[in-house]
Amino acid sequence: MDSKLKRVYVPMSETAFYILFCLQEPQHGYGIGQEVKAMTKGEVSISPGTMYGTLSKMEKDGLIRFVSEAEKRKIYEITELGRDILTTEMNRIKRIYINSIGDEYNG
């Protein structure tokens, strides 16, 4: 994994995490926003400006790729690099969670 990109994305913002997580299946920005709202029961909402700015940056950095266009919406999916970074972040979050609950997790 590119160490520069790892420094940029890990730890990951909540927005970046949810976008990459949702793009494990091809999706467009509006659909990602709806999925995040549903997944978080409305606790997280990604504004259009943040969504499309993050999608653009992630595409430029090679974490996601444009797949197609449907009904004037760009469909994206996660790349292998994006999966590596998402997995690294999920492992980091899991480690923090396990460390925060200590012995309760083990027993």
Side-chain angles (χ1 to χ4, degrees):
M1 177 185 328
D2 184 306
S3 62
K4 179 182 177 235
L5 284 177
K6 187 175 177 185
R7 284 192 309 272
V8 169
Y9 286 99
V10 179
M12 192 174 288
S13 71
E14 196 170 23
T15 296
F17 176 84
Y18 281 118
I19 289 172
L20 278 183
F21 187 81
C22 289
L23 286 177
Q24 292 179 92
E25 298 292 328
Q27 183 67 271
H28 52 73
Y30 179 77
I32 294 167
Q34 295 304 304
E35 190 173 339
V36 170
K37 274 187 188 176
M39 183 186 315
T40 64
K41 296 177 177 54
E43 289 184 25
V44 177
S45 179
I46 304 172
S47 72
T50 300
M51 174 70 70
Y52 295 105
T54 303
L55 286 170
S56 177
K57 181 174 179 2
M58 287 181 160
E59 184 180 22
K60 184 180 130 239
D61 290 341
L63 276 63
I64 64 172
R65 71 175 146 256
F66 171 78
V67 177
S68 64
E69 194 167 322
E71 299 174 15
K72 297 184 182 180
R73 295 174 194 244
K74 290 182 176 182
I75 309 290
Y76 296 95
E77 68 182 1
I78 195 168
T79 63
E80 197 59 42
L81 174 61
R83 282 187 205 288
D84 290 346
I85 289 177
L86 179 61
T87 298
T88 299
E89 180 66 357
M90 289 173 76
N91 289 335
R92 186 187 75 81
I93 292 167
K94 181 179 177 183
R95 184 185 69 247
I96 289 170
Y97 175 73
I98 289 169
N99 291 337
S100 73
I101 59 173
D103 290 335
E104 293 175 33
Y105 185 76
N106 297 317

